Amino acid sequence: MKHNFGAGPCILPQEVFGQAADAVKDFNGLSILEVSHRSADFVKVMEEAHELVKKALNVPVGYSVLFLQGGASLGFTISALNMMRENKKAGYINTGTWSSKAIKEAKSVGIDLNVIASSEDKGFTYIPKGFDIPSDLDYVHYTSNNTIYGTQFNGIFETSAPLVCDMSSDIFSKSVDVSKFDLIYAGAQKNLGPAGATLYIVKDDVLGKSTSPFMPSYLNLKGHAEKDSMMNTPPVFSVYASMLNLRHLIANGGVEAADIRNTAKGDLLYSEIDNNPLFFGPVAKEDRSNMNVTFLLNDGAPSQIFDKMWNEANIVGLKGHRSVGGYRASMYNALTIDSVQVLVDVMKEFTRKNG
Ligand SMILES: *Cc1c(COP(=O)(O)O)cnc(C)c1O
């Protein structure tokens, strides 16, 4: 068995892989891959998936849950188009690659965009704090967890403007007060299910209020909400496996229990990074992510030897994103603390031999 520290598509519980595989072979006499999305059997799956999202995150009344396609990358455009109001003005917090892409897409659909805070000055190794927010914004957008740099907002970012968040890489890893947000979106493949579906949680008040002259039907969340995610063919398999994973999450104590496990995994690895003389973490301590842990080898430490050792320990996916280098241990919900311990043991052994 491999220890999958990959950033996404990500590890899911073995039990979910087994159940999803069973449904590929037999889902009430058909394969889940061939079943009609209009069939009563699949409509039930979609309804349960919506309900389980609401249950797992305590989504208040007055919000719609949607499973769409296009990834969080289309979410950058969908969020900007659906949140655009009279001012056509928005504030974005730039905490790295994904927020930068969100900024680019929002500008491209005509948002007069104000970067209200950025951590670019220090290579996106921290979360900006204590900045001013103009009062005339249609909305404020941020990325709760920065998958590539390994930084994470610790708690919800407060503002009086409607709040929009890309939660792709930390949704379902801990509890979140959904009532503070007008719109949340997340690609499924980081912590929810296989690639293909994109989750949207949208306040119903938001729907149909856009002032954008450009609004293709697929990008309009109102139409999707009216059709319960069935406006067109949904990503059937991804929704099914996400539903299985949500059942598994809730049966194992929900997001509160996941948070406790994720914190224990983070503490274990960060304490090794801090105490091992051959490694260091570039991220400001108070802004460290429990989902994506970035770390580097000290100058002169033999990286080929370390790479060989973790490969031999059946660890996969540990290389840092191609844009930043170093190492990144992605530790989504389904990664066990035993896998983290394997990595920590390799780091200790490496330093014993090469320190
Ligand atoms: C992976 C990721 C994206 C891009 O997701 P796609 O589903 O591939 O479009 C966007 N935002 C964050 C925070 C991510 O981690």
Side-chain angles (χ1 to χ4, degrees):
M1 243 243 335
K2 305 263 189 194
H3 305 283
N4 185 6
F5 286 88
C10 79
I11 182 173
L12 295 169
Q14 290 302 316
E15 195 182 315
V16 170
F17 287 141
Q19 291 166 343
D22 289 346
V24 169
K25 292 192 196 131
D26 178 17
F27 177 75
N28 298 337
L30 290 173
S31 166
I32 188 70
L33 302 182
E34 65 179 336
V35 74
S36 165
H37 59 291
R38 306 281 176 206
S39 66
D41 287 343
F42 184 73
V43 170
K44 262 201 287 185
V45 169
M46 186 61 101
E47 284 170 2
E48 184 174 350
H50 289 167
E51 283 313 308
L52 292 177
V53 169
K54 290 183 178 168
K55 190 166 176 197
L57 294 179
N58 253 315
V59 177
V61 178
Y63 283 76
S64 294
V65 171
L66 303 169
F67 283 91
L68 310 181
Q69 302 193 58
S73 296
L74 190 60
F76 301 152
T77 308
I78 288 182
S79 52
L81 284 179
N82 284 269
M83 295 304 299
M84 190 188 288
R85 300 291 179 265
E86 286 314 319
N87 289 337
K88 293 192 165 44
K89 264 193 186 176
Y92 276 64
I93 302 177
N94 187 6
T95 50
T97 310
W98 297 120
S99 353
S100 309
K101 291 191 182 191
I103 288 168
K104 175 169 172 256
E105 297 306 318
K107 281 184 179 163
S108 82
V109 296
I111 294 282
D112 175 3
L113 194 142
N114 193 329
V115 177
I116 53 180
S118 167
S119 51
E120 195 170 8
D121 59 339
K122 289 186 185 156
F124 298 116
T125 53
Y126 71 103
I127 296 290
K129 294 165 199 85
F131 41 86
D132 293 330
I133 303 175
S135 58
D136 59 346
L137 301 176
D138 291 340
Y139 67 97
V140 169
H141 178 285
Y142 76 108
T143 314
S144 55
N145 182 72
N146 298 284
T147 325
I148 293 175
Y149 295 92
T151 61
Q152 185 172 27
F153 279 83
N154 175 6
I156 293 176
F157 168 79
E158 296 281 342
T159 163
S160 57
L163 198 51
V164 178
C165 189
D166 172 3
M167 291 193 191
S168 292
S169 53
D170 67 355
I171 195 157
F172 301 114
S173 71
K174 57 180 182 172
S175 54
V176 51
D177 183 355
V178 173
S179 72
K180 305 247 179 187
F181 298 90
D182 276 42
L183 176 60
I184 293 168
Y185 62 98
Q189 75 278 11
K190 301 280 167 47
N191 206 23
L192 174 58
T198 313
L199 174 67
Y200 290 77
I201 304 174
V202 58
K203 202 184 238 179
D204 292 334
D205 288 348
V206 165
L207 302 172
K209 304 257 172 70
S210 173
T211 56
S212 173
F214 168 78
M215 184 62 94
S217 307
Y218 193 83
L219 306 186
N220 193 345
L221 293 175
K222 184 168 193 277
H224 289 293
E226 283 166 359
K227 294 281 158 54
D228 295 321
S229 310
M230 293 279 204
M231 188 173 92
N232 69 332
T233 316
V236 170
F237 181 73
S238 178
V239 171
Y240 182 69
S242 298
M243 184 275 286
L244 295 174
N245 192 33
L246 288 164
R247 277 188 190 162
H248 184 275
L249 173 73
I250 289 168
N252 286 278
V255 291
E256 291 80 9
D259 188 10
I260 292 170
R261 293 189 291 267
N262 291 329
T263 303
K265 290 186 284 178
D267 289 350
L268 176 61
L269 183 52
Y270 282 119
S271 112
E272 182 59 25
I273 291 167
D274 290 342
N275 293 311
N276 188 316
L278 293 193
F279 293 93
F280 71 98
V283 168
K285 284 194 180 165
E286 68 277 16
D287 301 327
R288 284 171 157 177
S289 165
N290 279 335
M291 291 285 99
N292 311 94
V293 177
T294 50
F295 58 100
L296 297 155
L297 266 179
N298 283 339
D299 278 348
S303 60
Q304 314 87 309
I305 298 180
F306 179 58
D307 293 348
K308 188 158 177 283
M309 285 178 71
W310 60 259
N311 273 293
E312 285 173 3
N314 278 325
I315 288 171
V316 296
L318 199 65
K319 281 277 182 200
H321 188 268
R322 57 192 185 280
S323 63
V324 297
Y327 299 96
R328 170 176 55 172
S330 296
M331 309 200 298
Y332 298 112
N333 283 355
L335 188 87
T336 64
I337 197 158
D338 295 343
S339 291
V340 181
Q341 189 64 54
V342 169
L343 171 58
V344 165
D345 290 345
V346 167
M347 293 165 76
K348 284 191 198 300
E349 178 71 0
F350 169 71
T351 299
R352 201 177 59 73
K353 290 188 174 152
N354 302 280

PDB file of all heavy atoms in Angstrom, residues 207-230:
ATOM      1  N   LEU A 207     -29.106  34.631  -5.637  1.00  0.00           N
ATOM      2  CA  LEU A 207     -29.517  34.125  -6.948  1.00  0.00           C
ATOM      3  C   LEU A 207     -30.340  35.150  -7.726  1.00  0.00           C
ATOM      4  O   LEU A 207     -31.256  35.767  -7.183  1.00  0.00           O
ATOM      5  CB  LEU A 207     -30.316  32.825  -6.774  1.00  0.00           C
ATOM      6  CG  LEU A 207     -29.559  31.717  -6.041  1.00  0.00           C
ATOM      7  CD1 LEU A 207     -30.487  30.537  -5.729  1.00  0.00           C
ATOM      8  CD2 LEU A 207     -28.364  31.237  -6.851  1.00  0.00           C
ATOM      9  N   GLY A 208     -29.988  35.307  -8.993  1.00  0.00           N
ATOM     10  CA  GLY A 208     -30.765  36.177  -9.880  1.00  0.00           C
ATOM     11  C   GLY A 208     -30.529  37.663  -9.700  1.00  0.00           C
ATOM     12  O   GLY A 208     -31.274  38.477 -10.219  1.00  0.00           O
ATOM     13  N   LYS A 209     -29.502  38.070  -8.939  1.00  0.00           N
ATOM     14  CA  LYS A 209     -29.277  39.501  -8.686  1.00  0.00           C
ATOM     15  C   LYS A 209     -28.110  40.073  -9.499  1.00  0.00           C
ATOM     16  O   LYS A 209     -27.755  41.234  -9.341  1.00  0.00           O
ATOM     17  CB  LYS A 209     -28.972  39.724  -7.190  1.00  0.00           C
ATOM     18  CG  LYS A 209     -30.035  39.208  -6.240  1.00  0.00           C
ATOM     19  CD  LYS A 209     -30.885  40.355  -5.693  1.00  0.00           C
ATOM     20  CE  LYS A 209     -32.068  39.843  -4.888  1.00  0.00           C
ATOM     21  NZ  LYS A 209     -31.666  39.235  -3.616  1.00  0.00           N
ATOM     22  N   SER A 210     -27.512  39.264 -10.339  1.00  0.00           N
ATOM     23  CA  SER A 210     -26.340  39.734 -11.073  1.00  0.00           C
ATOM     24  C   SER A 210     -26.687  40.876 -12.009  1.00  0.00           C
ATOM     25  O   SER A 210     -27.773  40.908 -12.590  1.00  0.00           O
ATOM     26  CB  SER A 210     -25.743  38.581 -11.878  1.00  0.00           C
ATOM     27  OG  SER A 210     -24.714  39.068 -12.696  1.00  0.00           O
ATOM     28  N   THR A 211     -25.741  41.815 -12.157  1.00  0.00           N
ATOM     29  CA  THR A 211     -25.922  42.904 -13.123  1.00  0.00           C
ATOM     30  C   THR A 211     -25.085  42.663 -14.378  1.00  0.00           C
ATOM     31  O   THR A 211     -24.957  43.550 -15.215  1.00  0.00           O
ATOM     32  CB  THR A 211     -25.483  44.248 -12.508  1.00  0.00           C
ATOM     33  OG1 THR A 211     -24.125  44.104 -12.069  1.00  0.00           O
ATOM     34  CG2 THR A 211     -26.366  44.639 -11.346  1.00  0.00           C
ATOM     35  N   SER A 212     -24.505  41.470 -14.472  1.00  0.00           N
ATOM     36  CA  SER A 212     -23.649  41.204 -15.629  1.00  0.00           C
ATOM     37  C   SER A 212     -24.477  41.057 -16.899  1.00  0.00           C
ATOM     38  O   SER A 212     -25.435  40.288 -16.933  1.00  0.00           O
ATOM     39  CB  SER A 212     -22.851  39.920 -15.410  1.00  0.00           C
ATOM     40  OG  SER A 212     -22.158  39.596 -16.605  1.00  0.00           O
ATOM     41  N   PRO A 213     -24.089  41.788 -17.967  1.00  0.00           N
ATOM     42  CA  PRO A 213     -24.793  41.622 -19.240  1.00  0.00           C
ATOM     43  C   PRO A 213     -24.456  40.270 -19.876  1.00  0.00           C
ATOM     44  O   PRO A 213     -25.211  39.769 -20.712  1.00  0.00           O
ATOM     45  CB  PRO A 213     -24.258  42.772 -20.107  1.00  0.00           C
ATOM     46  CG  PRO A 213     -22.970  43.181 -19.480  1.00  0.00           C
ATOM     47  CD  PRO A 213     -23.028  42.798 -18.032  1.00  0.00           C
ATOM     48  N   PHE A 214     -23.342  39.688 -19.457  1.00  0.00           N
ATOM     49  CA  PHE A 214     -22.892  38.410 -20.009  1.00  0.00           C
ATOM     50  C   PHE A 214     -23.225  37.324 -18.984  1.00  0.00           C
ATOM     51  O   PHE A 214     -22.705  37.340 -17.879  1.00  0.00           O
ATOM     52  CB  PHE A 214     -21.375  38.494 -20.241  1.00  0.00           C
ATOM     53  CG  PHE A 214     -20.702  37.189 -20.543  1.00  0.00           C
ATOM     54  CD1 PHE A 214     -20.793  36.632 -21.809  1.00  0.00           C
ATOM     55  CD2 PHE A 214     -19.958  36.522 -19.569  1.00  0.00           C
ATOM     56  CE1 PHE A 214     -20.158  35.426 -22.100  1.00  0.00           C
ATOM     57  CE2 PHE A 214     -19.322  35.318 -19.856  1.00  0.00           C
ATOM     58  CZ  PHE A 214     -19.422  34.777 -21.120  1.00  0.00           C
ATOM     59  N   MET A 215     -24.139  36.436 -19.323  1.00  0.00           N
ATOM     60  CA  MET A 215     -24.498  35.393 -18.356  1.00  0.00           C
ATOM     61  C   MET A 215     -24.993  34.141 -19.089  1.00  0.00           C
ATOM     62  O   MET A 215     -26.190  33.870 -19.183  1.00  0.00           O
ATOM     63  CB  MET A 215     -25.563  35.904 -17.373  1.00  0.00           C
ATOM     64  CG  MET A 215     -25.930  34.909 -16.264  1.00  0.00           C
ATOM     65  SD  MET A 215     -24.569  34.467 -15.184  1.00  0.00           S
ATOM     66  CE  MET A 215     -24.817  35.675 -13.859  1.00  0.00           C
ATOM     67  N   PRO A 216     -24.057  33.355 -19.623  1.00  0.00           N
ATOM     68  CA  PRO A 216     -24.474  32.091 -20.252  1.00  0.00           C
ATOM     69  C   PRO A 216     -25.227  31.226 -19.229  1.00  0.00           C
ATOM     70  O   PRO A 216     -24.916  31.274 -18.033  1.00  0.00           O
ATOM     71  CB  PRO A 216     -23.144  31.434 -20.638  1.00  0.00           C
ATOM     72  CG  PRO A 216     -22.137  32.541 -20.636  1.00  0.00           C
ATOM     73  CD  PRO A 216     -22.610  33.536 -19.627  1.00  0.00           C
ATOM     74  N   SER A 217     -26.197  30.465 -19.703  1.00  0.00           N
ATOM     75  CA  SER A 217     -27.046  29.695 -18.778  1.00  0.00           C
ATOM     76  C   SER A 217     -26.241  28.825 -17.817  1.00  0.00           C
ATOM     77  O   SER A 217     -26.569  28.725 -16.644  1.00  0.00           O
ATOM     78  CB  SER A 217     -27.980  28.769 -19.556  1.00  0.00           C
ATOM     79  OG  SER A 217     -28.676  29.494 -20.505  1.00  0.00           O
ATOM     80  N   TYR A 218     -25.187  28.184 -18.332  1.00  0.00           N
ATOM     81  CA  TYR A 218     -24.464  27.268 -17.450  1.00  0.00           C
ATOM     82  C   TYR A 218     -23.782  28.001 -16.296  1.00  0.00           C
ATOM     83  O   TYR A 218     -23.519  27.424 -15.246  1.00  0.00           O
ATOM     84  CB  TYR A 218     -23.434  26.412 -18.219  1.00  0.00           C
ATOM     85  CG  TYR A 218     -22.945  25.278 -17.338  1.00  0.00           C
ATOM     86  CD1 TYR A 218     -23.684  24.095 -17.216  1.00  0.00           C
ATOM     87  CD2 TYR A 218     -21.807  25.421 -16.549  1.00  0.00           C
ATOM     88  CE1 TYR A 218     -23.288  23.090 -16.346  1.00  0.00           C
ATOM     89  CE2 TYR A 218     -21.410  24.411 -15.683  1.00  0.00           C
ATOM     90  CZ  TYR A 218     -22.148  23.251 -15.582  1.00  0.00           C
ATOM     91  OH  TYR A 218     -21.771  22.255 -14.717  1.00  0.00           O
ATOM     92  N   LEU A 219     -23.491  29.284 -16.486  1.00  0.00           N
ATOM     93  CA  LEU A 219     -22.761  30.026 -15.455  1.00  0.00           C
ATOM     94  C   LEU A 219     -23.697  30.693 -14.443  1.00  0.00           C
ATOM     95  O   LEU A 219     -23.252  31.293 -13.477  1.00  0.00           O
ATOM     96  CB  LEU A 219     -21.849  31.065 -16.099  1.00  0.00           C
ATOM     97  CG  LEU A 219     -20.880  30.510 -17.155  1.00  0.00           C
ATOM     98  CD1 LEU A 219     -19.917  31.600 -17.612  1.00  0.00           C
ATOM     99  CD2 LEU A 219     -20.101  29.305 -16.632  1.00  0.00           C
ATOM    100  N   ASN A 220     -25.001  30.574 -14.685  1.00  0.00           N
ATOM    101  CA  ASN A 220     -25.970  31.225 -13.812  1.00  0.00           C
ATOM    102  C   ASN A 220     -26.422  30.262 -12.701  1.00  0.00           C
ATOM    103  O   ASN A 220     -27.118  29.280 -12.953  1.00  0.00           O
ATOM    104  CB  ASN A 220     -27.173  31.660 -14.651  1.00  0.00           C
ATOM    105  CG  ASN A 220     -28.070  32.619 -13.889  1.00  0.00           C
ATOM    106  OD1 ASN A 220     -27.959  32.750 -12.671  1.00  0.00           O
ATOM    107  ND2 ASN A 220     -28.956  33.271 -14.613  1.00  0.00           N
ATOM    108  N   LEU A 221     -26.025  30.557 -11.475  1.00  0.00           N
ATOM    109  CA  LEU A 221     -26.337  29.638 -10.374  1.00  0.00           C
ATOM    110  C   LEU A 221     -27.844  29.528 -10.132  1.00  0.00           C
ATOM    111  O   LEU A 221     -28.325  28.509  -9.636  1.00  0.00           O
ATOM    112  CB  LEU A 221     -25.624  30.087  -9.091  1.00  0.00           C
ATOM    113  CG  LEU A 221     -24.096  29.974  -9.130  1.00  0.00           C
ATOM    114  CD1 LEU A 221     -23.492  30.568  -7.849  1.00  0.00           C
ATOM    115  CD2 LEU A 221     -23.653  28.513  -9.286  1.00  0.00           C
ATOM    116  N   LYS A 222     -28.587  30.568 -10.518  1.00  0.00           N
ATOM    117  CA  LYS A 222     -30.041  30.538 -10.311  1.00  0.00           C
ATOM    118  C   LYS A 222     -30.664  29.359 -11.061  1.00  0.00           C
ATOM    119  O   LYS A 222     -31.464  28.599 -10.496  1.00  0.00           O
ATOM    120  CB  LYS A 222     -30.659  31.850 -10.780  1.00  0.00           C
ATOM    121  CG  LYS A 222     -32.153  31.969 -10.530  1.00  0.00           C
ATOM    122  CD  LYS A 222     -32.611  33.406 -10.766  1.00  0.00           C
ATOM    123  CE  LYS A 222     -34.003  33.643 -10.232  1.00  0.00           C
ATOM    124  NZ  LYS A 222     -35.042  33.217 -11.166  1.00  0.00           N
ATOM    125  N   GLY A 223     -30.279  29.200 -12.312  1.00  0.00           N
ATOM    126  CA  GLY A 223     -30.819  28.106 -13.120  1.00  0.00           C
ATOM    127  C   GLY A 223     -30.465  26.748 -12.531  1.00  0.00           C
ATOM    128  O   GLY A 223     -31.300  25.833 -12.496  1.00  0.00           O
ATOM    129  N   HIS A 224     -29.246  26.621 -12.053  1.00  0.00           N
ATOM    130  CA  HIS A 224     -28.838  25.342 -11.457  1.00  0.00           C
ATOM    131  C   HIS A 224     -29.616  25.057 -10.174  1.00  0.00           C
ATOM    132  O   HIS A 224     -29.988  23.913  -9.902  1.00  0.00           O
ATOM    133  CB  HIS A 224     -27.339  25.357 -11.155  1.00  0.00           C
ATOM    134  CG  HIS A 224     -26.489  25.300 -12.376  1.00  0.00           C
ATOM    135  ND1 HIS A 224     -26.440  24.194 -13.196  1.00  0.00           N
ATOM    136  CD2 HIS A 224     -25.644  26.202 -12.934  1.00  0.00           C
ATOM    137  CE1 HIS A 224     -25.597  24.426 -14.194  1.00  0.00           C
ATOM    138  NE2 HIS A 224     -25.102  25.634 -14.067  1.00  0.00           N
ATOM    139  N   ALA A 225     -29.851  26.110  -9.377  1.00  0.00           N
ATOM    140  CA  ALA A 225     -30.574  25.910  -8.119  1.00  0.00           C
ATOM    141  C   ALA A 225     -32.022  25.496  -8.401  1.00  0.00           C
ATOM    142  O   ALA A 225     -32.578  24.625  -7.730  1.00  0.00           O
ATOM    143  CB  ALA A 225     -30.521  27.186  -7.272  1.00  0.00           C
ATOM    144  N   GLU A 226     -32.623  26.111  -9.433  1.00  0.00           N
ATOM    145  CA  GLU A 226     -34.008  25.757  -9.774  1.00  0.00           C
ATOM    146  C   GLU A 226     -34.121  24.313 -10.233  1.00  0.00           C
ATOM    147  O   GLU A 226     -35.162  23.679 -10.065  1.00  0.00           O
ATOM    148  CB  GLU A 226     -34.529  26.696 -10.874  1.00  0.00           C
ATOM    149  CG  GLU A 226     -34.904  28.061 -10.316  1.00  0.00           C
ATOM    150  CD  GLU A 226     -35.100  29.123 -11.407  1.00  0.00           C
ATOM    151  OE1 GLU A 226     -34.926  28.815 -12.604  1.00  0.00           O
ATOM    152  OE2 GLU A 226     -35.405  30.269 -11.034  1.00  0.00           O
ATOM    153  N   LYS A 227     -33.041  23.775 -10.813  1.00  0.00           N
ATOM    154  CA  LYS A 227     -33.073  22.413 -11.343  1.00  0.00           C
ATOM    155  C   LYS A 227     -32.358  21.415 -10.428  1.00  0.00           C
ATOM    156  O   LYS A 227     -32.038  20.300 -10.854  1.00  0.00           O
ATOM    157  CB  LYS A 227     -32.453  22.395 -12.742  1.00  0.00           C
ATOM    158  CG  LYS A 227     -33.254  23.179 -13.783  1.00  0.00           C
ATOM    159  CD  LYS A 227     -34.448  22.371 -14.257  1.00  0.00           C
ATOM    160  CE  LYS A 227     -35.595  23.152 -14.855  1.00  0.00           C
ATOM    161  NZ  LYS A 227     -35.341  24.056 -15.925  1.00  0.00           N
ATOM    162  N   ASP A 228     -32.052  21.828  -9.192  1.00  0.00           N
ATOM    163  CA  ASP A 228     -31.392  20.922  -8.233  1.00  0.00           C
ATOM    164  C   ASP A 228     -30.170  20.225  -8.822  1.00  0.00           C
ATOM    165  O   ASP A 228     -30.023  18.996  -8.706  1.00  0.00           O
ATOM    166  CB  ASP A 228     -32.393  19.878  -7.721  1.00  0.00           C
ATOM    167  CG  ASP A 228     -33.511  20.508  -6.922  1.00  0.00           C
ATOM    168  OD1 ASP A 228     -33.226  21.452  -6.159  1.00  0.00           O
ATOM    169  OD2 ASP A 228     -34.670  20.083  -7.080  1.00  0.00           O
ATOM    170  N   SER A 229     -29.299  20.963  -9.446  1.00  0.00           N
ATOM    171  CA  SER A 229     -28.041  20.463 -10.040  1.00  0.00           C
ATOM    172  C   SER A 229     -28.267  19.569 -11.250  1.00  0.00           C
ATOM    173  O   SER A 229     -27.358  18.861 -11.686  1.00  0.00           O
ATOM    174  CB  SER A 229     -27.162  19.696  -9.028  1.00  0.00           C
ATOM    175  OG  SER A 229     -26.961  20.386  -7.852  1.00  0.00           O
ATOM    176  N   MET A 230     -29.474  19.589 -11.805  1.00  0.00           N
ATOM    177  CA  MET A 230     -29.791  18.693 -12.931  1.00  0.00           C
ATOM    178  C   MET A 230     -30.165  19.467 -14.185  1.00  0.00           C
ATOM    179  O   MET A 230     -30.940  18.992 -15.012  1.00  0.00           O
ATOM    180  CB  MET A 230     -30.965  17.785 -12.549  1.00  0.00           C
ATOM    181  CG  MET A 230     -30.641  16.801 -11.457  1.00  0.00           C
ATOM    182  SD  MET A 230     -29.775  15.363 -12.097  1.00  0.00           S
ATOM    183  CE  MET A 230     -30.234  14.198 -10.798  1.00  0.00           C
TER     184      MET A 230
END
